[in-house]
Amino acid sequence: MMTKIAFLSDIHIAPAYTYEVFRRKMTKYALPFICSFLDRIASQGDFSFVVQLGDLIQDADRDTDRIHYQKGAALLSRCVVPVHHLVGNHDTANLSPDEIASILNREGLYYSFDHGAHHFIFLHTCVPDPAISPRIIIPEEQMAWLEKDLDQTDKPTTVFCHHSLADQELTGNPWFARTPEECLVENRKEVRQLLKHSGRVIAVVNGHLHWNHTDWHDGIPFLTVQSAIEVVDDKRTPADAWGVITINRNRFSLNQYGKDPFAFSYAFDDGTTVAAF
């Protein structure tokens, strides 16, 4: 049985007065992008679900952020298939995890489920106190949950998170080349040990870094995907980035479309890479 997933990341809905502030983020394109994405999903009609990888909004202040988060979540809820949300650092800059969980009608911000022959885990990579420090962690309680969840499944498992769990080389990244603490999970090695020990994880997918990147740890691909509204040229063209993951009996494939395309595919029964961007 094939599972087909659409994804989008780092949409950054923002107030109109900030449109010219974020020179690398075409935030005014955020809401039109969601509308065009929904049309694409509806026209294809064979997706299992959608993953929103976090940073649905660009933070401004608490009231504005709540309005924008509610607007973005409500718009995505019109999708013809279920939408599963991750939460990013901009989402929680002024809104509490409990507030966001309430908007999304979820009990918590990390969770898992099975779809057919496959298992899917959604982690909440936390920024505990953005006013004090940008440090990013998976807290102990969530680590214990993750270990138990992995122990209880025998299905090929894909992990989604907002920040990166890989030891990425950041040279050339337009946002984080000099600040790895703002994009890489602090206790990522410990998390990767759990993923490795399970023997079930076939891929990890994240957003946040506003570029496409592939890393490998212990035979597991860690894939970072581009932001929907990142500027890709000197004409301030937005990336219009969205993509499709397909998982068959023993093959994982990711294809991203838009102005910054990216493709990856490998057979996870033996870990052999057959195509990469």
Side-chain angles (χ1 to χ4, degrees):
M1 175 182 176
M2 182 183 77
T3 300
K4 184 177 178 182
I5 306 158
F7 67 84
L8 66 171
S9 188
D10 296 88
I11 303 168
H12 292 282
I13 300 168
Y17 66 81
T18 67
Y19 285 171
E20 295 303 315
V21 174
F22 308 109
R23 299 299 295 175
R24 292 197 58 90
K25 297 179 184 178
M26 285 293 286
T27 53
K28 67 180 180 181
Y29 184 66
L31 291 173
F33 167 82
I34 294 176
C35 293
S36 64
F37 172 82
L38 294 176
D39 288 342
R40 290 161 177 159
I41 302 307
S43 66
Q44 295 193 32
D46 59 347
F47 288 97
S48 304
F49 56 88
V50 168
V51 176
Q52 189 272 113
L53 285 161
D55 280 354
L56 179 59
I57 62 171
Q58 179 70 41
D59 59 285
D61 58 70
R62 185 178 181 278
D63 290 343
T64 302
D65 290 4
R66 185 173 181 83
I67 290 169
H68 284 162
Y69 201 91
Q70 289 174 323
K71 182 183 293 186
L75 191 54
L76 284 167
S77 73
R78 300 177 189 175
C79 190
V80 295
V81 296
V83 178
H84 299 285
H85 294 269
L86 289 169
V87 175
N89 49 291
H90 287 285
D91 302 324
T92 56
N94 297 304
L95 300 176
S96 72
D98 287 344
E99 286 179 288
I100 292 179
S102 177
I103 293 170
L104 296 176
N105 196 28
R106 295 206 63 91
E107 293 183 2
L109 299 182
Y110 58 90
Y111 52 97
S112 68
F113 59 85
D114 292 337
H115 187 278
H118 306 116
H119 187 62
F120 299 93
I121 294 175
F122 292 73
L123 296 178
H124 179 210
T125 50
C126 303
V127 182
D129 195 337
I132 297 175
S133 169
R135 69 191 296 256
I136 307 154
I137 61 169
I138 301 288
E140 290 184 7
E141 179 182 357
Q142 189 177 166
M143 289 284 284
W145 171 87
L146 174 61
E147 183 174 18
K148 182 178 180 180
D149 188 85
L150 288 167
D151 285 344
Q152 290 178 340
T153 187
D154 60 357
K155 300 177 184 291
T157 298
T158 302
V159 177
F160 296 102
C161 50
H162 180 66
H163 300 91
S164 178
L165 290 169
D167 293 333
Q168 285 203 35
E169 169 54 56
L170 298 172
T171 302
N173 185 277
W175 294 96
F176 304 108
R178 297 182 180 180
T179 54
E181 71 279 2
E182 295 184 8
C183 64
L184 306 181
V185 176
E186 187 175 292
N187 56 336
R188 59 192 179 276
K189 292 183 180 179
E190 291 82 358
V191 180
R192 293 201 307 262
Q193 281 297 309
L194 294 182
L195 305 185
K196 173 187 175 182
H197 178 73
S198 77
R200 307 308 303 166
V201 176
I202 59 173
V204 180
V205 181
N206 69 273
H208 184 63
L209 284 92
H210 288 232
W211 70 355
N212 298 313
H213 207 273
T214 302
D215 298 277
W216 288 85
H217 293 286
D218 301 311
I220 302 171
F222 290 72
L223 306 170
T224 300
V225 297
Q226 178 62 283
S227 160
I229 49 77
E230 178 75 1
V231 170
V232 295
D233 59 26
D234 57 8
K235 297 179 182 178
R236 299 194 70 200
T237 303
D240 190 28
W242 72 284
V244 177
I245 293 168
T246 55
I247 310 171
N248 293 307
R249 182 176 61 85
N250 69 337
R251 183 168 299 280
F252 177 98
S253 299
L254 182 152
N255 288 278
Q256 182 174 268
Y257 307 106
K259 302 299 192 302
D260 190 14
F262 168 69
F264 173 90
S265 181
Y266 91 115
F268 56 78
D269 56 344
D270 63 2
T272 302
T273 303
V274 295
F277 80 104

